[in-house]
Amino acid sequence: MNLIEGLNDKQKEAVLTTEGAVLILAGAGSGKTKVLTHRIAYLVHEMKVAPYSILAITFTNKAASEMKERVEKIVGSGAKDIWVSTFHSMCVRILRKTIHRMGYSNQFSIYDAEDQKKLVGQITKDLGLDEKFYPTKKTLSIISSQKNDFISPAQYEAQMLGDFTGTNYSTIYKMYQEKLEKNNSLDFDDLIFKTIQILKECSDVREYYGERFKYILVDEYQDTNNSQFMLVELLASKHRNVCVVGDPDQSIYKWRGANIRNILDFEKKYKEAKIIKLEENYRCTKTILETANEVIKNNINRKEKNLWTQNEEGEQICIYNAYDDRDESMFIASTIVKEVESGNEDYNSFAVLYRTNAQSRVIEELFINKNIPYQLYGGVKFYARKEIKDILAYLKLLVNTRDTLSLERIINVPRRGIGETSMDRLAAYAAQENKTMYEAMLTINEVYELKSVAFKFQAFVDMLEEIKSDLRNKKITEIVEQILEKSTYMQTLKLETTEEARDRVENIYQFIAKAQEYDETREDGTLENFLEEVSLVADIDNYEEQNNTVKLMTLHSAKGLEFPQVFIAGVEEGVFPSYMTLNSVDEDEREEERRICYVGITRARKRLYITYANARKQFGRIVYNAPSRFIEEIPEKYKKDLTIKRKAENSAKIKVISKLSDGLKKHTTFSVSNYNNLVTPSKVAMSFESGDKVSHVKFGFGIIEGVRPAGADYELTINFETVGTKKLMSKFANLERV
């Protein structure tokens, strides 16, 4: 097999440059997966590298599965020895063999987001802290941020000395980790944190994996956080044959810890690094690609590249200005119906992308009204549904009896007459005897305070012990069916005869089907491995390209996917870019919004629609938003206005006048059905004009260079003497005229 046949010159260079550090800057649609798989095949077939010595890391299970499949096709024999996995799956694999060195059992549980919330909520309550001041979501975000920067509870506590609120957060973090360890459990961030810890503290483990992985490839490198950067650095420290592939222009996960500097500064860490740019796009039309280039070039923090394609010119970008979000959704639905009925496209040719999940509601309503089949990503995840979480809790407890959270979840599900008081007494006894709660149940008849209900605990533990017997020789399907039968879980649900109960029963059958699929495809599969697989699954991993449905998802979820026709909805100031980023003093947050736009544009293969509304229901009220700056950044020659001029005889017409940076006035007329609920830009903001001299408490003296509407406020472009140009929201800037 000629492994470089059919590759362009830059792709060939990327495949053949096997030694040392390599940074492959791969633009959207430039064939990076093909390059990675051919590079692996070249290492095995031409360089005679043992498959066992190659590690390929990506971010999603879906991407890892696709890469495995492609590698197996071209590598053939030996491909199964290559480690192709996500960061988290790789770490689980290492930890199952090594975490006992840190006092954990190798049969640890993995807590998902809901488990984490419950645990933090318990700790906050135990500490007597008000959740209004220490919200669970913020607490978990802080904890995750520390772990992503490889900061331990003790280190964080030391940093927070003298800060009352910070000290309380550090106490929660400390107790949270103690509870996790006691439950022999890890959260998602721990999987990487603990792997780094073991590699740092256990020289023999570091030596083993450092020697083993002679060639390391990392996909989507722009999405790595600090701990992932450290992990790759540790694994590659011996041979330094590390090849990272990514695109700074598609770095859109700062909110979950991604550090764009990892890819921008790669050559600083690896001074010998060779940089190869993949700039030929095989996906989009010329017009779509040029549009993406024109938008992204407005960012400063990027590595210069210019995508090009040999594809056809293609149609202009279709722009639609709607009266409101319902009109916007009607346009999207009607356009899809027209295309499908004309025979031009199937439903699965279309994707509707938006900045936030909340935007899907109105679109869904119109789709239902017009009988458009659709698939929504980002709703309640299958494995987060109550009935599925309950079954998983039973399964986790079979593997890890120290998992108190799982025990507490299902001890009384279905109802067994075991109340909170009985559980508190059991917990007190377990603590007194230095036992786990499960161990305490094994000797429940010795607990005097629980004599009257001991038989209930005994029945529960006997049931689990019976299922646990000969666990290794049971199929996953058999274990699940035993749980459902012996616990009477399914029987109890069926007796309810409600619509909700019927839905839950159907979900359980879907779970059984998943277990059957696992049994059929994993000859040596274990319950631990099955739990890992379902614990690490992401919503987008369930994406089915062949389903004849319109796909609805956020722009973040769409990354890595492509569609013939794409709608990007709600492209307005305050929506996209989001209102939060407009208020931020962090320039990179605003640049990330533009990167999100770039990702959205490059999802489209042949036609792109961009829609925006003059009025939108937002935050429980109707809000006026100006067209997004991203629309303005698209040259007119690439745009086609599809806006339908409609009569608005019975609606209010409002002229919003704003002064632009050139001093001219812009009149925007729009109609809304509810004038009283309309939110218009602040009158205070309109008191500022281009040329005004102002003073800011942090940035000092500056001159206003531009004023533009942004949601319910105005964005001011100010040139400060000390820090240069900043964009601030008028309401929050606290400016004083000089």
Side-chain angles (χ1 to χ4, degrees), residues 6 74 108 112 131 195 203 213 237 343 392 394 610 708 716-717 734:
I74 58 176
F108 57 83
D112 64 15
E131 198 172 325
T195 304
S203 58
F213 297 128
S237 59
L392 287 172
Y394 275 102
I610 293 177
R708 60 182 286 164
L716 308 177
T717 301
N734 294 322

PDB file of all heavy atoms in Angstrom, residues 6 74 108 112 131 195 203 213 237 343 392 394 610 708 716-717 734:
ATOM      1  N   GLY A   6      -2.383  10.099  -2.985  1.00  0.00           N
ATOM      2  CA  GLY A   6      -3.638  10.819  -2.788  1.00  0.00           C
ATOM      3  C   GLY A   6      -3.556  11.943  -1.784  1.00  0.00           C
ATOM      4  O   GLY A   6      -4.534  12.660  -1.553  1.00  0.00           O
ATOM      5  N   ILE A  74      -6.300   0.570   7.454  1.00  0.00           N
ATOM      6  CA  ILE A  74      -5.050   0.740   6.698  1.00  0.00           C
ATOM      7  C   ILE A  74      -3.838   0.085   7.367  1.00  0.00           C
ATOM      8  O   ILE A  74      -2.866  -0.241   6.688  1.00  0.00           O
ATOM      9  CB  ILE A  74      -4.753   2.233   6.416  1.00  0.00           C
ATOM     10  CG1 ILE A  74      -4.656   3.042   7.712  1.00  0.00           C
ATOM     11  CG2 ILE A  74      -5.800   2.839   5.522  1.00  0.00           C
ATOM     12  CD1 ILE A  74      -4.271   4.495   7.478  1.00  0.00           C
ATOM     13  N   PHE A 108     -12.383   1.590  41.336  1.00  0.00           N
ATOM     14  CA  PHE A 108     -12.993   2.878  41.660  1.00  0.00           C
ATOM     15  C   PHE A 108     -14.196   3.183  40.765  1.00  0.00           C
ATOM     16  O   PHE A 108     -14.312   2.689  39.642  1.00  0.00           O
ATOM     17  CB  PHE A 108     -11.963   4.008  41.536  1.00  0.00           C
ATOM     18  CG  PHE A 108     -11.309   4.114  40.184  1.00  0.00           C
ATOM     19  CD1 PHE A 108     -11.920   4.776  39.129  1.00  0.00           C
ATOM     20  CD2 PHE A 108     -10.058   3.548  39.958  1.00  0.00           C
ATOM     21  CE1 PHE A 108     -11.319   4.883  37.885  1.00  0.00           C
ATOM     22  CE2 PHE A 108      -9.447   3.635  38.707  1.00  0.00           C
ATOM     23  CZ  PHE A 108     -10.078   4.303  37.675  1.00  0.00           C
ATOM     24  N   ASP A 112     -20.327  11.307  37.731  1.00  0.00           N
ATOM     25  CA  ASP A 112     -20.705  12.255  36.682  1.00  0.00           C
ATOM     26  C   ASP A 112     -21.125  13.580  37.306  1.00  0.00           C
ATOM     27  O   ASP A 112     -21.037  13.774  38.527  1.00  0.00           O
ATOM     28  CB  ASP A 112     -21.805  11.676  35.794  1.00  0.00           C
ATOM     29  CG  ASP A 112     -23.117  11.426  36.541  1.00  0.00           C
ATOM     30  OD1 ASP A 112     -23.291  11.953  37.653  1.00  0.00           O
ATOM     31  OD2 ASP A 112     -23.978  10.704  35.987  1.00  0.00           O
ATOM     32  N   GLU A 131     -26.183  28.127  50.443  1.00  0.00           N
ATOM     33  CA  GLU A 131     -25.942  27.815  49.035  1.00  0.00           C
ATOM     34  C   GLU A 131     -26.199  29.006  48.122  1.00  0.00           C
ATOM     35  O   GLU A 131     -25.741  29.035  46.982  1.00  0.00           O
ATOM     36  CB  GLU A 131     -26.803  26.629  48.590  1.00  0.00           C
ATOM     37  CG  GLU A 131     -26.279  26.007  47.306  1.00  0.00           C
ATOM     38  CD  GLU A 131     -26.977  24.717  46.932  1.00  0.00           C
ATOM     39  OE1 GLU A 131     -27.344  23.951  47.849  1.00  0.00           O
ATOM     40  OE2 GLU A 131     -27.146  24.494  45.731  1.00  0.00           O
ATOM     41  N   THR A 195      -3.640  10.774  37.348  1.00  0.00           N
ATOM     42  CA  THR A 195      -2.651  10.173  36.441  1.00  0.00           C
ATOM     43  C   THR A 195      -1.355  10.978  36.467  1.00  0.00           C
ATOM     44  O   THR A 195      -0.254  10.413  36.549  1.00  0.00           O
ATOM     45  CB  THR A 195      -3.199  10.091  35.005  1.00  0.00           C
ATOM     46  OG1 THR A 195      -4.436   9.374  35.003  1.00  0.00           O
ATOM     47  CG2 THR A 195      -2.212   9.391  34.084  1.00  0.00           C
ATOM     48  N   SER A 203       8.303   7.021  40.080  1.00  0.00           N
ATOM     49  CA  SER A 203       9.271   7.075  38.981  1.00  0.00           C
ATOM     50  C   SER A 203       9.219   5.836  38.098  1.00  0.00           C
ATOM     51  O   SER A 203       9.436   5.917  36.887  1.00  0.00           O
ATOM     52  CB  SER A 203      10.689   7.262  39.533  1.00  0.00           C
ATOM     53  OG  SER A 203      11.012   6.203  40.423  1.00  0.00           O
ATOM     54  N   PHE A 213       5.587   4.579  25.203  1.00  0.00           N
ATOM     55  CA  PHE A 213       5.018   5.419  24.140  1.00  0.00           C
ATOM     56  C   PHE A 213       6.114   6.219  23.445  1.00  0.00           C
ATOM     57  O   PHE A 213       6.438   7.346  23.818  1.00  0.00           O
ATOM     58  CB  PHE A 213       3.946   6.345  24.721  1.00  0.00           C
ATOM     59  CG  PHE A 213       2.766   5.608  25.290  1.00  0.00           C
ATOM     60  CD1 PHE A 213       2.316   5.869  26.569  1.00  0.00           C
ATOM     61  CD2 PHE A 213       2.120   4.635  24.547  1.00  0.00           C
ATOM     62  CE1 PHE A 213       1.233   5.189  27.097  1.00  0.00           C
ATOM     63  CE2 PHE A 213       1.032   3.942  25.067  1.00  0.00           C
ATOM     64  CZ  PHE A 213       0.591   4.212  26.351  1.00  0.00           C
ATOM     65  N   SER A 237       8.295  12.934  27.626  1.00  0.00           N
ATOM     66  CA  SER A 237       9.562  13.495  28.123  1.00  0.00           C
ATOM     67  C   SER A 237      10.794  12.682  27.710  1.00  0.00           C
ATOM     68  O   SER A 237      11.884  13.233  27.564  1.00  0.00           O
ATOM     69  CB  SER A 237       9.520  13.622  29.647  1.00  0.00           C
ATOM     70  OG  SER A 237       9.303  12.354  30.241  1.00  0.00           O
ATOM     71  N   GLY A 343     -37.567  18.168  -3.472  1.00  0.00           N
ATOM     72  CA  GLY A 343     -36.722  17.017  -3.789  1.00  0.00           C
ATOM     73  C   GLY A 343     -35.244  17.326  -3.829  1.00  0.00           C
ATOM     74  O   GLY A 343     -34.427  16.471  -4.173  1.00  0.00           O
ATOM     75  N   LEU A 392     -27.499   2.327  37.017  1.00  0.00           N
ATOM     76  CA  LEU A 392     -26.043   2.487  37.081  1.00  0.00           C
ATOM     77  C   LEU A 392     -25.549   2.476  38.528  1.00  0.00           C
ATOM     78  O   LEU A 392     -24.467   1.965  38.818  1.00  0.00           O
ATOM     79  CB  LEU A 392     -25.621   3.792  36.392  1.00  0.00           C
ATOM     80  CG  LEU A 392     -25.704   3.789  34.859  1.00  0.00           C
ATOM     81  CD1 LEU A 392     -25.453   5.191  34.303  1.00  0.00           C
ATOM     82  CD2 LEU A 392     -24.693   2.806  34.266  1.00  0.00           C
ATOM     83  N   TYR A 394     -26.851   0.765  41.010  1.00  0.00           N
ATOM     84  CA  TYR A 394     -26.801  -0.653  41.399  1.00  0.00           C
ATOM     85  C   TYR A 394     -25.525  -1.303  40.858  1.00  0.00           C
ATOM     86  O   TYR A 394     -24.812  -2.018  41.574  1.00  0.00           O
ATOM     87  CB  TYR A 394     -28.014  -1.398  40.832  1.00  0.00           C
ATOM     88  CG  TYR A 394     -29.269  -1.332  41.682  1.00  0.00           C
ATOM     89  CD1 TYR A 394     -30.310  -0.468  41.356  1.00  0.00           C
ATOM     90  CD2 TYR A 394     -29.424  -2.160  42.806  1.00  0.00           C
ATOM     91  CE1 TYR A 394     -31.464  -0.411  42.118  1.00  0.00           C
ATOM     92  CE2 TYR A 394     -30.584  -2.118  43.571  1.00  0.00           C
ATOM     93  CZ  TYR A 394     -31.602  -1.239  43.227  1.00  0.00           C
ATOM     94  OH  TYR A 394     -32.744  -1.194  43.987  1.00  0.00           O
ATOM     95  N   ILE A 610     -27.578  32.704   7.694  1.00  0.00           N
ATOM     96  CA  ILE A 610     -27.363  33.403   8.959  1.00  0.00           C
ATOM     97  C   ILE A 610     -28.614  34.235   9.237  1.00  0.00           C
ATOM     98  O   ILE A 610     -29.031  35.028   8.397  1.00  0.00           O
ATOM     99  CB  ILE A 610     -26.115  34.298   8.905  1.00  0.00           C
ATOM    100  CG1 ILE A 610     -24.855  33.431   8.776  1.00  0.00           C
ATOM    101  CG2 ILE A 610     -26.025  35.181  10.147  1.00  0.00           C
ATOM    102  CD1 ILE A 610     -23.568  34.225   8.635  1.00  0.00           C
ATOM    103  N   ARG A 708     -21.921  51.694  19.726  1.00  0.00           N
ATOM    104  CA  ARG A 708     -22.833  50.853  18.961  1.00  0.00           C
ATOM    105  C   ARG A 708     -23.785  50.134  19.898  1.00  0.00           C
ATOM    106  O   ARG A 708     -23.413  49.783  21.027  1.00  0.00           O
ATOM    107  CB  ARG A 708     -22.065  49.829  18.122  1.00  0.00           C
ATOM    108  CG  ARG A 708     -21.204  48.890  18.908  1.00  0.00           C
ATOM    109  CD  ARG A 708     -20.441  47.934  18.006  1.00  0.00           C
ATOM    110  NE  ARG A 708     -21.324  46.928  17.462  1.00  0.00           N
ATOM    111  CZ  ARG A 708     -21.015  46.152  16.426  1.00  0.00           C
ATOM    112  NH1 ARG A 708     -19.861  46.286  15.815  1.00  0.00           N
ATOM    113  NH2 ARG A 708     -21.863  45.255  15.989  1.00  0.00           N
ATOM    114  N   LEU A 716     -19.007  50.576  23.968  1.00  0.00           N
ATOM    115  CA  LEU A 716     -18.139  51.717  23.694  1.00  0.00           C
ATOM    116  C   LEU A 716     -16.748  51.217  23.335  1.00  0.00           C
ATOM    117  O   LEU A 716     -16.166  50.392  24.043  1.00  0.00           O
ATOM    118  CB  LEU A 716     -18.042  52.626  24.926  1.00  0.00           C
ATOM    119  CG  LEU A 716     -19.370  53.081  25.553  1.00  0.00           C
ATOM    120  CD1 LEU A 716     -19.089  53.912  26.802  1.00  0.00           C
ATOM    121  CD2 LEU A 716     -20.198  53.877  24.560  1.00  0.00           C
ATOM    122  N   THR A 717     -16.229  51.703  22.227  1.00  0.00           N
ATOM    123  CA  THR A 717     -14.841  51.410  21.857  1.00  0.00           C
ATOM    124  C   THR A 717     -13.994  52.581  22.336  1.00  0.00           C
ATOM    125  O   THR A 717     -14.189  53.719  21.898  1.00  0.00           O
ATOM    126  CB  THR A 717     -14.693  51.240  20.336  1.00  0.00           C
ATOM    127  OG1 THR A 717     -15.547  50.170  19.921  1.00  0.00           O
ATOM    128  CG2 THR A 717     -13.256  50.910  19.959  1.00  0.00           C
ATOM    129  N   ASN A 734     -18.661  52.431  34.352  1.00  0.00           N
ATOM    130  CA  ASN A 734     -18.442  53.460  35.384  1.00  0.00           C
ATOM    131  C   ASN A 734     -17.453  54.531  34.924  1.00  0.00           C
ATOM    132  O   ASN A 734     -16.468  54.834  35.604  1.00  0.00           O
ATOM    133  CB  ASN A 734     -17.935  52.817  36.689  1.00  0.00           C
ATOM    134  CG  ASN A 734     -18.978  51.913  37.316  1.00  0.00           C
ATOM    135  OD1 ASN A 734     -20.168  52.234  37.277  1.00  0.00           O
ATOM    136  ND2 ASN A 734     -18.547  50.803  37.876  1.00  0.00           N
TER     137      ASN A 734
END
